[in-house]
Amino acid sequence: MGIASDIIIIVLAALIGALVARLLKQPLILGYILAGVLIGPNTGGVTVSNIHNIEMLAEIGVALLLFGIGLEFSFNKLKPVSKIALIGTPIQIVLTIIFGFVIGSLFGWGWKPSLWLGAMISLSSTMVILKTLMNQGWMGTLSSRVMIGMLIVQDLAVVPMIIILPQLGNPKSSLPLLGIALLKACIFLLLMIFLGTKLIPFLMKRIVRWNSRELFLLSITALGLGIGYGTYLFGLSFAFGAFVAGMVISESDYGYQALSDIIPLRDIFGLLFFTSIGMLLEPWFLISHLKIIVLLILLVMVGKALIFGTLSRLFGYGNVIPLAVGLGLFQVGEFSFVLARVGLNTNSIDTELYSLILATAVVTMFLTPLISSLTVPLYSLRKSWFKHESIQTMNLPETGLRDHVIIAGGGQVGQNIAKVLQRLELSFVLIELDFRRIEQAKDAGFPIIFGDAGQDIVLEAAEINKATLLLVTVPSIVVSQTITDRVRHINPKLRIVARATSIDHMKDLHRLGVYEVVQPEFEAGLEFTRQALLHLNISIQQIQKYTDAVRSELYAPLYESDVSYRTIARLQSACRLIDLNWINVSENSSVIGRTIRELQIRAKTGASIVAVLRDGALIPNPDPDFSFKPHDLIGVLSESHQLNKLLEFKDLQLI
């Protein structure tokens, strides 16, 4: 079967590796890499027959991933990181090359292989970082934008490196080649500006009109890969072209749909990439050169982390960002394989250095999700040690905070609450760690604090001792419990309303002293059920009896321990039993000009008229002599059969 059998082996091995990774609560890409090691040519057993073909298919995975990232990140979103990307990244590359040159000199290598080593370790892995950011939920944060901006420039830097490094013995001949490459890049960008503003929007508009999901998917895939292949033929990076294509489409009206359609295809080809990385690893070479490989890995990880973290700080990024960037970009990237292959083919490096770089790259890629996941706990530890660090705040009132509501979590739920409190002119403050949500809250004019609500210093900045209520809208069990525990130590009297994801989570929060617990998914499910049963003409009493039984079963532990819960539940239940419907009086209705007394609505139908909306003004409890006019909206309390009788009057329409 040739390549078809290889793909089947890879998919099956990746599935097993992914299941093992999930059971061990590790990122799936670690399972993919391990699967690649097991089915590679160096371990025996079931083996892929043609690794080169798989590597070529894996390039499509890299291109599709960058295409997807381009769809998510428009030019406007990358503006905040343009300085560190365009200026900081070249500085990082130069510093890392110098660092690599020092390492090579310490190992006793000549100047040329030492310089090649520095160039190869200066590149980080775009593919691994993007997948790690997605899995960890950091995509869209300022940290992720800094990393992606720097990775893009690194990928572009591969082109001049491939031209210059093989010509180290004769630098004069490499300068014309570099100039040609820069000219090609400028021409390509000009072409993409034209295509992005003129041709692509026109084509997408025509395709969307045909209303074919399959054709739409085929079109965006063809655009992403086609433009990428065009850049490859043009002498530039295939993946870079796909990224630019994604950014162009993201500026159109079809970016979100294109992203949702491309994700499954991207993930399958991405799987091929990570598995192919594992296949490159030679376990026997790793064992025989263990000491030097371990030393090289440690030096690269620590050195690159310090370089990236320091540069982030020097370019004005604070809080968690330098730590996240340092622990994210420490690995050796996939384009280092391309550079190493060029060095081997031009006899610039020997096979031993090539294998060392290969092993270092694979191991550091493998470690990336694990090391990157340490960002939050290490940042929290640092915050506890250095409490003097200033907290970033936005839109806080000049008079300070007092008798206010603290909303821990600036997601959709938190921002919806903030909108209501803002309209009611009630004092509140949001606490959020995700930069994307901070930007949204900032644009909406909400007072917000950048930080972790589980840290004392952040809670103190939110004036926790002067607050009247805390709303924990974060769905994470660990985070909500941590926040509740810290607040209970600082201000034991403060009332807390928290979001729960399960019954056990709800019980744990109640034991910690949470005033009230809300389970959004459960309440949404009950409301969907209620609306469905109303549509099926089930009586209000029957519906309420069912929903009350389900709700009581869930919240039983809270009802049993707190009288206020039982009272609130009974009041809510009574309110739901009241079914208020609105009826429109049309132009030719038989009730026009007649009074409630004349019509004998209560006697004939059993329904009660409790309000009338006329010309935008509400008339509550209209008296028996109230007469109806065209376009009145009548508020009626009734059961379904009573409402049906009322609608028998001519030209009364239920809204």
Side-chain angles (χ1 to χ4, degrees), residues 362-530:
V362 173
V363 173
T364 52
M365 284 181 182
F366 182 82
L367 292 174
T368 297
L370 299 174
I371 301 297
S372 180
S373 65
L374 298 175
T375 300
V376 173
L378 287 177
Y379 179 66
S380 300
L381 184 64
R382 195 189 90 185
K383 295 281 281 186
S384 65
W385 287 350
F386 302 99
K387 295 187 177 181
H388 61 273
E389 184 175 4
S390 61
I391 299 295
Q392 185 179 357
T393 62
M394 286 148 278
N395 300 326
L396 291 188
E398 295 180 2
T399 55
L401 296 166
R402 179 175 292 277
D403 297 328
H404 57 289
V405 178
I406 298 176
I407 306 171
Q412 194 64 53
V413 175
Q415 290 190 35
N416 286 337
I417 296 169
K419 287 176 185 176
V420 175
L421 295 178
Q422 189 181 57
R423 289 177 183 175
L424 295 174
E425 298 183 354
L426 296 173
S427 180
F428 71 95
V429 63
L430 279 161
I431 301 176
E432 180 53 58
L433 195 58
D434 187 326
F435 185 80
R436 175 181 50 186
R437 292 171 178 170
I438 287 172
E439 288 294 299
Q440 292 171 352
K442 183 180 175 182
D443 293 341
F446 300 148
I448 188 164
I449 295 172
F450 176 79
D452 179 2
Q455 297 297 318
D456 290 1
I457 187 172
V458 177
L459 293 172
E460 289 166 8
E463 300 288 358
I464 192 72
N465 286 312
K466 298 178 182 178
T468 187
L469 181 67
L470 170 66
L471 306 178
V472 183
T473 65
V474 183
S476 170
I477 297 173
V478 175
V479 174
S480 60
Q481 289 180 349
T482 302
I483 294 171
T484 302
D485 183 59
R486 296 312 309 149
V487 171
R488 278 283 161 260
H489 280 86
I490 300 172
N491 187 355
K493 296 181 180 179
L494 183 65
R495 284 196 163 185
I496 303 173
V497 179
R499 175 179 178 177
T501 56
S502 65
I503 298 174
D504 291 334
H505 185 195
M506 184 181 66
K507 291 178 180 177
D508 290 339
L509 289 171
H510 185 62
R511 278 195 292 269
L512 288 171
V514 173
Y515 169 67
E516 186 170 352
V517 179
V518 178
Q519 203 172 346
E521 291 80 7
F522 171 78
E523 296 295 342
L526 273 188
E527 184 58 27
F528 266 107
T529 305
R530 182 175 177 273

Side-chain angles (χ1 to χ4, degrees), residues 92-403:
Q92 171 266 316
I93 291 173
V94 171
L95 290 175
T96 311
I97 289 174
I98 294 171
F99 176 65
F101 184 86
V102 172
I103 293 174
S105 300
L106 291 174
F107 285 167
W109 300 341
W111 69 269
K112 189 179 288 188
S114 297
L115 202 60
W116 272 87
L117 173 67
M120 289 184 287
I121 67 171
S122 69
L123 304 172
S124 301
S125 175
T126 304
M127 188 75 169
V128 172
I129 283 298
L130 294 181
K131 197 68 176 175
T132 301
L133 290 171
M134 290 176 191
N135 292 340
Q136 294 177 349
W138 281 72
M139 189 61 73
T141 62
L142 184 56
S143 302
S144 71
R145 294 183 195 181
V146 171
M147 286 188 260
I148 290 169
M150 298 186 82
L151 286 166
I152 292 167
V153 178
Q154 281 188 3
D155 292 347
L156 289 173
V158 174
V159 177
M161 282 185 184
I162 291 173
I163 295 170
I164 294 172
L165 287 173
Q167 305 293 331
L168 287 174
N170 185 17
K172 289 184 179 179
S173 63
S174 63
L175 290 176
L177 294 173
L178 183 60
I180 293 171
L182 289 173
L183 180 62
K184 287 180 178 180
C186 292
I187 294 171
F188 168 72
L189 290 174
L190 288 173
L191 284 172
M192 284 308 302
I193 291 171
F194 171 76
L195 291 173
T197 55
K198 303 293 183 183
L199 185 59
I200 290 178
F202 173 76
L203 288 174
M204 295 302 296
K205 191 174 182 180
R206 294 296 299 269
I207 290 166
V208 168
R209 283 180 181 174
W210 285 322
N211 200 27
S212 171
R213 187 79 175 265
E214 185 178 354
L215 185 60
F216 182 80
L217 173 61
L218 181 61
S219 301
I220 60 171
T221 306
L223 281 172
L225 297 181
I227 292 173
Y229 185 62
T231 59
Y232 168 74
L233 295 177
F234 212 56
L236 300 173
S237 166
F238 175 40
F240 170 67
F243 175 79
V244 174
M247 291 188 77
V248 168
I249 295 175
S250 74
E251 300 297 325
S252 70
D253 297 331
Y254 316 108
Y256 290 109
Q257 184 60 45
L259 179 63
S260 65
D261 283 356
I262 206 72
I263 284 174
L265 192 63
R266 177 199 69 190
D267 289 343
I268 290 295
F269 277 97
L271 176 153
L272 293 176
F273 169 78
F274 289 109
T275 310
S276 68
I277 292 299
M279 292 179 196
L280 295 173
L281 190 65
E282 296 183 37
W284 305 120
F285 180 84
L286 196 65
I287 294 169
S288 60
H289 295 76
L290 188 61
K291 288 183 180 179
I292 189 172
I293 290 173
V294 170
L295 182 58
L296 184 59
I297 288 170
L298 289 174
L299 288 171
V300 168
M301 289 173 61
V302 174
K304 288 188 71 174
L306 288 173
I307 290 171
F308 277 107
T310 304
L311 278 174
S312 300
R313 176 64 75 177
L314 290 175
F315 274 83
Y317 296 98
N319 293 304
V320 75
I321 296 171
L323 188 62
V325 174
L327 297 182
L329 298 179
F330 68 86
Q331 76 290 127
V332 180
E334 57 272 0
F335 281 114
S336 299
F337 301 152
V338 178
L339 205 57
R341 177 63 68 180
V342 171
L344 194 64
N345 292 338
T346 57
N347 296 317
S348 300
I349 62 174
D350 56 23
T351 54
E352 184 174 343
L353 178 56
Y354 175 79
S355 299
L356 279 174
I357 284 295
L358 215 60
T360 303
V362 173
V363 173
T364 52
M365 284 181 182
F366 182 82
L367 292 174
T368 297
L370 299 174
I371 301 297
S372 180
S373 65
L374 298 175
T375 300
V376 173
L378 287 177
Y379 179 66
S380 300
L381 184 64
R382 195 189 90 185
K383 295 281 281 186
S384 65
W385 287 350
F386 302 99
K387 295 187 177 181
H388 61 273
E389 184 175 4
S390 61
I391 299 295
Q392 185 179 357
T393 62
M394 286 148 278
N395 300 326
L396 291 188
E398 295 180 2
T399 55
L401 296 166
R402 179 175 292 277
D403 297 328

Side-chain angles (χ1 to χ4, degrees), residues 552-564:
S552 298
E553 184 179 330
L554 176 69
Y555 293 107
L558 304 183
Y559 294 156
E560 292 167 3
S561 57
D562 196 332
V563 175
S564 62

